[in-house]
Amino acid sequence: QRRLQFFSSYGEVGLETATVNVTIQDFVADVVSELAFRNMQQVSREAMFIFPVNSDTVVHTFYATMGDTHIEAMLWEKEEAQQLCKVTSDMENLRYLQEQSDLWGPVFACFLGTLPPNGEVTISLCYVQELPLQPDGAARFCWPRELFPQITYFSRNPDKEEMPETLHFSICLKSDRGISHIDINSSCTPLQYTAPDQTSAEVSLKLSPWLQDDLNLLVYFRGSHPLSAVVEKKDPKAPPGSLLGDPVVMVTLMPNIPEVARDPGQLGEFLFLMDRSLFLDAQVPPEELLRVGSISAYLSHLSSAHPSICPQNTLLFLLKSLPVSCYFNIYSFGATFKAFYPQSVEYTQESMDSAVGRISSICPDLGGCDLLGLLKSIYSTPLLHGHPRQLFIFIQRKVSSEEEVVMAEVYRYRDQHRCFCFPTNRCDSFHLSQAMALETKGECVCIHSRMDMAAEAVKCLQRALQPLASGISLHWNLPPGLEVSMIRKAPEMIFRGHQSSIYAQIHGQAQDPEVCEGAVTLQYHVGSRSFASTLRFSLSPSADDRLPVHRMAMMHLLWKLAWEETKRSEKDIQHNAVKSSLRLGVPSPFTSNVAVRMNQRNAWHRDSLPPASSVLFSPSCNLVPCQQLWLCGSRPVWFKSTKFWMVQKYQFCLETLSCKAPDTGALTQLSASFSPLSTRLCDFSGLRVMVALQKANGSWALTAALASALGLSKADVEGRRPSEEVQPTAWATVLALVWLHRHKWKVSWSELLEAKACRWLRDQAEVQLDECLEAANSLLGCFVEPTIFSI
């Protein structure tokens, strides 16, 4: 049997030269690149170009030149493109790539054809991209090391660093706030200001980054402001009133979020999603697994038997760590999904007790994994005002739906929630978990067999409980005659360390042409405190013929029109938006790529095409496989939207692999190496009892069960109470707090439980904390300092 295989072309199709021009204006980058690759082998290679894309990147121009052949990718309306693809040869190359590539995630792919020995192909690729905010306020731009021409690093002369002839990399920086400085992990020319007010600057690379490093550029702006605005002039050739025919403003929101006391009315909605396959009986006899001869099954048993990875424990510790007055719910999913409550409930003693009692009712399920259905159900429930929605997803199996469909649903609601994902180390949906966390600005933590699932989950819960900006609103102040319409509105909330970019179209004609300035005011809440900040911006920016902000705005508008039911009155808006997207090359749910191969002398561009697409069927043109695909491999490409690969295909014969009998000797050795595992694990029984006895408000009652968990009798505990004035509950809470703190080296995630106890103690009148702490230290035989009460 013969098949095609795609793999990295590094070393066989090498990058010889690269010319890159990057323009960064605040938090949007406009990239123009030209890359020349050469086939280093003495045999022909069939080449394909792959470019990973994410939801903040718009690839709008692609063409390739090989000798006299010119290949250009163009957008067509989806139905028309589908008809064209039916008559396109070599489409199986893309289908095979989609199923067999080791890469994972959304990509732009174009089949280039045969590259002869020593043959060269020149790739031109242009894209725009929103840049992420760094914790220190910088905008970060990344360029992958794969796209630097290979040079001999050991021949570098540190005394004479010059730009190699094979690399031309220039960066133009712009910001009305002023450019402060840059930080770059490569040798570069000094930052050269090109405007007296330092609102623009230029810099060029001298050398590519060292060895295996990507290029990372951090741009720092002057001052500290929670807002930035980029206004882009209209396209003079576009009709007024259309998106291209009006100015567009991109406003980046970066709220200052100080540490404040948590407001009970804004603590959040916490949803815990548990894959029911995690609840399989951990007591399967190892002898049975050894009989089957499955090493992976045996390792699975060991992992399941590990008490620190027990999902029941994880749910218990998460529930006990939640703050009073937040909202929560628990879902278990498999072939179907079930919720503990029809909708999220307020966290009280009663609801917490009810949820803890129902954990044991979750039944194992090895059927399907309908995560998409569960997410749709959650997204269809209204948000709770003032309570940010945060999902904790524990998953072990491959989802039943296509991952592309799952991500489209997550992207649709990405401004309304955050995902913390916990795939196991055997999870077939690991990269999907990473993508969901990235898209919603959450976190993904892989749970290994010896890693404490509860510890990692509670760490993420600590992050989820940090202050955030909510109640976000924008107020515009424009000259008379001008108004704005929102293309992408402000999100429900912004978490600390993140930003959000919104887009608005500016309509009308200013009554006074001399007034060329507008203002926008950001208002938001952090806890019970209100904040407001106003930014003034120019309405007369310099023209940018490349229209990067319009392209990003167009992408968001098209997705918005695709998701929302388009009313009849909006049909014209949709039609005009699609026409504009075809002209700008902005992909959308309404369009699809088709590439055309032609001779250089017959090369033409989209603007010169006649209205009918039948020209594509002319004998002088060939259709080329070119689409945006979702790859299902094992290596993620979601995260680096600026990463490229040249890959080639070749034919090979699959060797017939014979099935070998299980290596019982290896299994025996493996069993022996893991046998001491249970003896090395700490005893969680006392801890589970201690955590289970804590009340929702953070206190403990003085009971025989608590005394037993402490290793004492109830009489001993009651007899050592400092005085009759100390309430039994306060004394029990101090004892439990000291016990937890004493064992913190074993349970590093107990900080939230301790913090709840401290808050409850501080709210009590005349607790006599010093006397209680001294008595507790004496009774438990330890020494915990009074600073414990300041947690």
Side-chain angles (χ1 to χ4, degrees):
Q1 186 179 5
R2 300 172 67 86
R3 292 187 180 181
L4 301 177
Q5 175 147 328
F6 295 82
F7 60 100
S8 172
S9 67
Y10 177 79
E12 297 192 12
V13 178
L15 177 64
E16 286 198 325
T17 63
T19 301
V20 184
N21 296 297
V22 183
T23 301
I24 296 176
Q25 187 164 7
D26 285 59
F27 288 91
V28 63
D30 183 14
V31 181
V32 179
S33 63
E34 186 171 288
L35 312 167
F37 295 86
R38 184 176 298 277
N39 181 7
M40 305 297 186
Q41 301 298 300
Q42 297 305 309
V43 295
S44 296
R45 298 288 180 183
E46 290 190 88
M48 180 175 291
F49 188 83
I50 299 177
F51 170 55
V53 292
N54 65 11
S55 58
D56 292 324
T57 302
V58 174
V59 177
H60 57 83
T61 302
F62 172 85
Y63 55 88
T65 303
M66 293 188 295
D68 291 335
T69 301
H70 180 84
I71 296 175
E72 184 169 354
M74 301 176 207
L75 279 183
W76 298 82
E77 290 192 74
K78 178 152 281 185
E79 292 183 3
E80 190 175 39
Q82 289 172 347
Q83 293 299 319
L84 296 176
C85 287
K86 289 180 181 179
V87 297
T88 302
S89 61
D90 293 326
M91 283 299 292
E92 69 275 6
N93 290 306
L94 294 188
R95 286 190 285 269
Y96 185 85
L97 172 68
Q98 192 168 18
E99 297 172 358
Q100 301 297 330
S101 170
D102 66 337
L103 304 178
W104 183 95
V107 300
F108 167 87
C110 184
F111 178 67
L112 301 178
T114 303
L115 191 61
N118 203 40
E120 185 180 79
V121 55
T122 300
I123 302 291
S124 295
L125 184 81
C126 304
Y127 66 92
V128 295
Q129 178 184 50
E130 288 183 13
L131 300 181
L133 174 74
Q134 296 302 105
D136 57 3
R140 177 176 177 267
F141 173 78
C142 177
W143 182 262
R145 58 182 172 82
E146 289 91 344
L147 289 192
F148 285 106
Q150 299 301 307
I151 64 173
T152 305
Y153 287 91
F154 296 106
S155 66
R156 279 185 168 181
N157 184 351
D159 298 326
K160 187 179 179 181
E161 290 188 348
E162 297 179 352
M163 171 74 82
E165 294 182 359
T166 56
L167 174 64
H168 303 273
F169 204 115
S170 63
I171 304 165
C172 176
L173 307 172
K174 301 178 182 178
S175 177
D176 289 341
R177 295 185 290 165
I179 309 298
S180 172
H181 63 283
I182 65 169
D183 187 2
I184 189 169
N185 64 335
S186 178
S187 176
C188 64
T189 61
L191 189 66
Q192 183 70 42
Y193 290 105
T194 56
D197 57 0
Q198 299 185 344
T199 56
S200 64
E202 294 178 349
V203 66
S204 297
L205 296 191
K206 287 183 177 180
L207 290 174
S208 55
W210 179 251
L211 294 178
Q212 300 300 313
D213 288 345
D214 296 337
L215 173 72
N216 281 291
L217 169 68
L218 301 180
V219 184
Y220 293 86
F221 308 102
R222 295 197 179 277
S224 176
H225 202 284
L227 287 168
S228 76
V230 177
V231 180
E232 189 171 85
K233 280 189 173 181
K234 64 182 180 181
D235 183 350
K237 295 179 288 186
S242 66
L243 181 62
L244 289 178
D246 283 333
V248 168
V249 57
M250 169 185 172
V251 179
T252 303
L253 315 179
M254 304 164 286
N256 296 320
I257 304 177
E259 286 287 352
V260 297
R262 289 183 296 193
D263 184 348
Q266 295 182 320
L267 289 174
E269 179 189 20
F270 301 94
L271 307 180
F272 305 112
L273 285 59
M274 305 296 297
D275 184 345
R276 284 200 289 267
S277 69
L278 292 167
F279 289 80
L280 289 174
D281 186 4
Q283 304 304 319
V284 177
E287 296 78 13
E288 176 65 20
L289 298 175
L290 288 171
R291 186 185 64 79
V292 176
S294 170
I295 294 180
S296 61
Y298 185 53
L299 290 174
S300 174
H301 165 72
L302 290 174
S303 176
S304 300
H306 193 320
S308 63
I309 204 172
C310 175
Q312 290 91 340
N313 286 342
T314 300
L315 276 178
L316 172 66
F317 301 147
L318 283 172
L319 283 172
K320 291 291 181 171
S321 299
L322 290 175
V324 174
S325 297
C326 74
Y327 284 78
F328 77 99
N329 204 346
I330 297 175
Y331 299 85
S332 64
F333 62 94
T336 60
F337 57 88
K338 298 179 181 178
F340 275 24
Y341 307 101
Q343 58 187 14
S344 296
V345 295
E346 185 177 357
Y347 184 79
T348 63
Q349 184 65 45
E350 181 180 2
S351 63
M352 185 200 71
D353 287 342
S354 171
V356 170
R358 297 181 64 177
I359 291 176
S360 60
S361 67
I362 299 178
C363 298
D365 181 355
L366 283 178
C369 185
D370 187 19
L371 179 61
L372 177 62
L374 174 53
L375 290 175
K376 285 185 174 182
S377 176
I378 290 173
Y379 295 153
S380 66
T381 60
L383 293 170
L384 299 171
H385 180 68
H387 290 272
R389 176 172 287 172
Q390 307 198 61
L391 275 59
F392 287 67
I393 305 174
F394 300 85
I395 187 168
Q396 183 166 253
R397 292 173 292 179
K398 183 176 180 61
V399 298
S400 303
S401 307
E402 292 184 5
E403 293 174 336
E404 180 181 10
V405 179
V406 176
M407 282 310 305
E409 195 72 12
V410 172
Y411 174 78
R412 181 177 183 179
Y413 295 95
R414 66 173 180 167
D415 289 333
Q416 297 182 11
H417 74 300
R418 181 161 62 167
C419 293
F420 293 92
C421 298
F422 306 91
T424 67
N425 62 332
R426 303 180 307 277
C427 181
D428 291 326
S429 297
F430 176 74
H431 297 313
L432 176 65
S433 300
Q434 287 182 310
M436 289 192 294
L438 177 74
E439 193 61 63
T440 59
K441 300 177 180 177
E443 189 171 339
C444 178
V445 181
C446 182
I447 304 300
H448 295 283
S449 58
R450 296 191 185 185
M451 180 183 284
D452 192 335
M453 176 187 284
E456 296 303 321
V458 174
K459 284 179 188 176
C460 288
L461 180 59
Q462 285 180 297
R463 180 181 167 194
L465 287 169
Q466 290 180 349
L468 52 82
S470 61
I472 297 170
S473 62
L474 288 178
H475 304 275
W476 301 86
N477 184 7
L478 299 179
L482 295 180
E483 59 181 13
V484 298
S485 60
M486 301 303 296
I487 296 171
R488 185 187 186 199
K489 64 180 183 179
E492 301 284 338
M493 57 201 170
I494 298 179
F495 299 99
R496 173 178 285 168
H498 296 291
Q499 92 276 33
S500 181
S501 295
I502 65 98
Y503 296 84
Q505 184 176 351
I506 302 177
H507 300 282
Q509 186 71 39
Q511 296 177 8
D512 185 356
E514 299 297 323
V515 180
C516 57
E517 191 177 64
V520 60
T521 299
L522 168 67
Q523 293 182 338
Y524 61 96
H525 303 283
V526 179
S528 58
R529 295 173 59 183
S530 298
F531 297 85
S533 184
T534 299
L535 176 71
R536 305 197 69 81
F537 56 87
S538 172
L539 292 171
S540 301
S542 58
D544 190 337
D545 295 336
R546 296 183 53 78
L547 301 171
V549 176
H550 276 80
R551 292 184 199 273
M552 294 301 303
M554 178 67 68
M555 180 192 71
H556 288 292
L557 174 61
L558 291 167
W559 279 104
K560 175 184 175 183
L561 293 173
W563 285 329
E564 298 175 354
E565 287 191 17
T566 306
K567 303 174 184 176
R568 289 187 177 181
S569 59
E570 295 176 338
K571 286 292 184 182
D572 289 340
I573 298 176
Q574 177 177 312
H575 178 70
N576 292 332
V578 172
K579 285 180 60 178
S580 297
S581 75
L582 294 174
R583 182 177 165 214
L584 288 176
V586 177
S588 74
F590 306 105
T591 59
S592 186
N593 279 296
V594 174
V596 181
R597 180 189 292 114
M598 67 206 84
N599 293 330
Q600 282 281 64
R601 61 181 180 274
N602 295 329
W604 38 258
H605 293 274
R606 180 78 192 215
D607 290 341
S608 63
L609 283 177
S613 64
S614 58
V615 67
L616 286 180
F617 299 98
S618 167
S620 62
C621 299
N622 292 315
L623 300 180
V624 175
C626 177
Q627 288 183 5
Q628 290 205 24
L629 304 172
W630 186 276
L631 304 185
C632 302
S634 59
R635 182 155 56 101
V637 297
W638 184 276
F639 305 101
K640 293 188 177 179
S641 57
T642 57
K643 196 166 214 175
F644 306 71
W645 284 268
M646 280 291 296
V647 296
Q648 71 266 347
K649 108 190 148 161
Y650 73 106
Q651 293 184 325
F652 73 106
C653 295
L654 290 176
E655 296 181 359
T656 304
L657 300 178
S658 60
C659 297
K660 298 181 180 180
D663 186 347
T664 55
L667 286 171
T668 304
Q669 183 178 3
L670 180 65
S671 175
S673 65
F674 279 93
S675 59
L677 180 62
S678 60
T679 63
R680 297 197 300 269
L681 301 174
C682 61
D683 181 12
F684 275 67
S685 58
L687 172 65
R688 280 194 291 263
V689 173
M690 182 67 69
V691 173
L693 291 174
Q694 188 179 30
K695 302 295 184 182
N697 60 10
S699 67
W700 276 266
L702 188 57
T703 62
L706 175 65
S708 177
L710 294 171
L712 302 167
S713 68
K714 186 178 181 183
D716 289 338
V717 173
E718 290 178 335
R720 298 293 291 272
R721 183 155 51 115
S723 67
E724 292 294 330
E725 297 177 359
V726 176
Q727 295 297 319
T729 302
W731 169 234
T733 302
V734 172
L735 279 172
L737 178 61
V738 170
W739 187 92
L740 279 178
H741 200 74
R742 177 189 180 187
H743 292 84
K744 199 167 187 176
W745 66 276
K746 290 183 179 178
V747 255
S748 58
W749 44 263
S750 63
E751 186 173 336
L752 287 177
L753 301 177
E754 293 181 39
K756 287 177 71 172
C758 289
R759 281 194 298 271
W760 182 85
L761 286 169
R762 288 195 294 266
D763 290 341
Q764 307 308 305
E766 300 179 2
V767 176
Q768 301 177 0
L769 291 179
D770 291 340
E771 291 83 354
C772 287
L773 180 60
E774 182 179 355
N777 277 328
S778 175
L779 180 60
L780 297 176
C782 58
F783 180 73
V784 175
E785 297 183 353
T787 53
I788 187 177
F789 298 118
S790 61
I791 293 178

